[in-house]
């Protein structure tokens, strides 16, 4: 039986969380068991996509939480339980962290090695462990099946990665993101030695995901009708619910497990057909799936990863991002909500978004484009429709 204090605390957290869109579903209705030893956790960031999930879980586990950011985003009061420090890593203003100590630091928003260096200068010797949120984009080759954490990393081609700034990164995000994340990982080891955990997420999805990359799929399935399914139905997709990632980050803080981890899911091979049928199991409604080969779509100018987000054909340079080896993270405690839970909560969150965000997604092809592609495919005398067949 949870104690009366735990129940009250859980209720306070739930109330605080419900003030921030998409967060209420992050708070487990039944109280989470308290950690054996409460920690002082510093979260660099903490108010964007995944940070609030970390905060919610860390509080539920009984930890003391401090967040550090510029204070530009809406934050829940967290029942007054979170210390909020302000500074700006763009300008190297980390004064609010000076002279303080924490057991663990989780660094969420960093892509620039200079940000890691600055954090190290203030926090080295003052935090027991440093968790750096990186990305699977660090890998030099995104094609292979089963990329492990030991695969070669993208090399930074410029003169000095520490000289890169937010402006230079923004100007060449596609080319610099992976190499700079990799250089930041190296800087983390330089600053914090062996007391480092590197987390490399794949696509992070679910409530609060403002990229709309995963979100496009369940929304398309829920619209029904004839739906274009790229490829032959077997190409795998991978992603991780932001809440699973947030909770696991706190678990890593508790265990202080050093090392490097690919943080993506699920814990089975999820082919395209299983994926769209899994989405349809949640959305329901009449639908008919029509497979269209990737080569035909490429010939029509379809951009995989953008027009069809998070999906890549077998010969694509990111084909491996649907089948990254995640066994090490699972062994270290990463767990995955069922797809249906992610999708159900995501759709509920999406329905509560402002009109403009509901109308205009930031990823995925329009219905008109899809219809034109299907028309072209049928005109080529192919695919009269296959799949559920109850349109
Ligand atoms: N989305 C994906 O699919 C995906 C995939 C792989 C890896 N990742 C990585 O996962 C991480 C996700 O981070 P998140 O956005 O979920 O973290 P978050 O901690 O929830 O949000 C980002 C935080 O950084 C703060 N921040 C931004 N610029 C700052 C600055 N100059 N100085 C101080 N604070 C600043 C923001 O607050 P203020 O704006 O108020 O400062 C905010 O609190 C990123 O490292 C990303 O590269 C994402």
């Amino acid at each position: 039986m949870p104690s009366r204090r735990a129940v009250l605390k859980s209720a306070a957290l739930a109330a605080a969380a419900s003030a921030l869109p998409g967060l209420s579903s992050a708070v487990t209705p039944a109280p989470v068991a308290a950690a054996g030893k409460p920690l002082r956790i510093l979260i660099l960031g903490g108010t964007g996509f995944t940070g609030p999930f970390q905060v919610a879980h860390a509080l539920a586990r009984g930890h003391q939480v401090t967040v550090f950011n510029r204070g530009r985003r809406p934050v829940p009061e967290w029942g007054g339980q979170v210390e909020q420090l302000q500074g700006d890593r763009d300008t190297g203003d980390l004064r609010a962290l000076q002279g303080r100590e924490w057991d663990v630091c989780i660094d969420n928003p960093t892509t620039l090695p200079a940000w890691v260096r600055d954090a190290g200068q203030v926090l080295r010797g003052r935090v027991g462990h440093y968790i750096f949120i990186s990305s699977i984009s660090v890998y030099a080759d995104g094609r292979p099946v089963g990329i492990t954490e030991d695969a070669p990393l993208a090399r930074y081609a410029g003169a000095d990665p520490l000289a890169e700034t937010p402006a230079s990164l923004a100007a060449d995000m596609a080319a610099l993101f992976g190499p700079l994340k990799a250089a930041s990982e190296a800087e983390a080891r330089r600053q914090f030695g062996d007391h480092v955990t590197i987390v490399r997420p794949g696509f992070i999805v679910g409530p609060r995901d403002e990229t709309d990359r995963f979100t496009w799929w369940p929304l398309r399935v829920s619209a029904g009708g004839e739906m274009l399914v790229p490829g032959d139905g077997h190409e795998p997709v991978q992603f991780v619910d932001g809440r699973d990632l947030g909770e696991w980050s706190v678990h890593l803080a508790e265990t202080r497990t050093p090392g490097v981890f690919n943080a993506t899911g699920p814990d089975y091979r999820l082919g395209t057909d299983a994926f769209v049928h899994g989405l349809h199991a949640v959305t329901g409604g009449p639908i008919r799936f029509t497979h269209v080969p990737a080569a035909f779509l490429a010939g029509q100018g379809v951009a995989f990863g953008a027009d069809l987000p998070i999906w890549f054909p077998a010969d694509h340079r990111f084909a491996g991002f649907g089948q990254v080896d995640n066994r090490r993270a699972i062994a270290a405690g990463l767990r995955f909500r069922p797809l249906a839970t992610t999708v159900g909560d995501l759709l509920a969150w999406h329905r509560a978004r402002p009109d403009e965000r509901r109308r205009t997604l930031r990823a995925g092809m329009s219905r008109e484009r899809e219809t034109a592609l299907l028309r072209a495919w049928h005109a080529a005398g192919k695919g009269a429709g296959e799949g559920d067949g109850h349109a």
Side-chain angles (χ1 to χ4, degrees):
M1 278 287 284
S3 68
R4 181 178 147 73
R5 194 157 166 259
V7 170
L8 288 174
K9 185 172 173 187
S10 179
L13 280 175
S18 65
L20 201 62
L23 209 57
S24 49
S25 52
V27 178
T28 319
V32 173
K37 180 175 176 274
L39 299 173
R40 297 162 301 165
I41 301 179
L42 168 65
I43 298 178
L44 299 182
T47 55
F49 174 15
T50 59
F53 297 139
Q54 295 166 344
V55 174
H57 191 64
L59 292 178
R61 293 279 290 159
H63 301 305
Q64 284 174 34
V65 180
T66 303
V67 297
F68 173 87
N69 52 61
R70 292 168 302 179
R72 293 193 180 174
R73 306 172 192 225
V75 289
E77 290 300 317
W78 293 120
Q81 295 181 76
V82 173
E83 182 185 25
Q84 318 227 7
L85 299 180
Q86 277 188 20
D88 188 347
R89 302 178 78 181
D90 283 344
T91 58
D93 176 7
L94 279 70
R95 282 172 297 177
L97 304 177
Q98 274 167 1
R100 298 283 308 275
E101 291 192 352
W102 288 272
D103 297 305
V104 183
C105 167
I106 304 176
D107 189 348
N108 283 327
T110 297
T111 303
L112 293 168
W115 283 23
V116 182
R117 177 203 57 204
D118 294 348
Q121 284 170 355
V122 179
L123 297 173
R124 194 174 46 240
R126 293 185 169 273
V127 294
H129 199 84
Y130 176 79
I131 299 176
F132 179 71
I133 307 297
S134 185
S135 165
I136 59 167
S137 296
V138 291
Y139 293 113
D141 187 356
R143 283 185 185 83
V145 173
I147 298 172
T148 69
E149 289 84 351
D150 304 321
L153 301 187
R155 297 253 300 263
Y156 172 75
D160 180 8
L162 285 165
E164 296 287 351
T165 63
S168 61
L169 174 63
D172 202 4
M173 183 64 85
L176 285 178
F177 182 77
L180 286 180
K181 276 281 195 194
S184 294
E185 292 183 0
E187 185 64 25
R189 288 197 194 85
R190 246 191 308 279
Q191 295 294 336
F192 297 97
D194 294 336
H195 304 287
V196 170
T197 307
I198 308 283
V199 175
R200 295 179 180 155
F203 293 108
I204 309 174
V205 310
R208 299 181 62 79
D209 173 16
E210 294 289 349
T211 71
D212 298 335
R213 293 179 295 207
F214 176 93
T215 309
W216 179 85
W217 286 89
L219 289 173
R220 173 60 195 92
V221 170
S222 71
E226 183 183 14
M227 176 172 166
L228 185 160
V229 176
D232 63 10
H234 293 106
E235 293 88 347
V237 289
Q238 278 182 320
F239 42 82
V240 60
D241 189 305
R243 297 166 295 181
D244 292 329
L245 184 65
E247 289 168 21
W248 185 56
S249 307
V250 173
H251 176 73
L252 288 173
E254 292 171 355
T255 55
R256 274 170 266 191
T257 314
V260 185
F261 299 93
N262 289 333
T264 191
D267 50 4
Y268 55 92
R269 189 182 189 284
L270 180 60
T272 312
D273 275 350
F275 175 52
V276 295
H277 281 275
L279 300 176
H280 187 235
V282 178
T283 65
I287 195 160
R288 191 171 78 241
F289 296 121
T290 297
H291 291 126
V292 181
F296 180 87
L297 295 172
Q300 300 286 321
V302 168
F304 300 110
D307 295 329
L308 289 164
I310 77 164
W311 189 93
F312 302 101
D315 59 354
H316 194 276
R317 68 192 180 100
F318 295 140
F321 287 0
Q323 41 206 328
V324 169
D325 187 330
N326 57 8
R327 286 174 296 179
R328 203 189 275 181
I330 292 167
L334 179 59
R335 297 291 178 266
F336 307 102
R337 282 165 170 71
L339 176 62
T341 305
T342 296
V343 173
D345 294 346
L346 172 62
L347 291 174
W349 169 76
H350 176 75
R351 281 193 288 272
R353 291 167 108 184
D355 281 355
E356 181 272 329
R357 290 294 285 118
R358 268 187 291 126
R359 272 198 305 271
T360 317
L361 294 187
R362 293 177 176 159
M365 66 172 75
S366 67
R367 196 65 191 277
E368 293 71 28
R369 178 95 197 279
E370 181 196 5
T371 303
L373 288 167
L374 283 167
R375 203 176 300 123
W377 173 243
H378 292 310
K382 312 288 172 84
E386 48 194 275
D388 287 343
H390 53 100

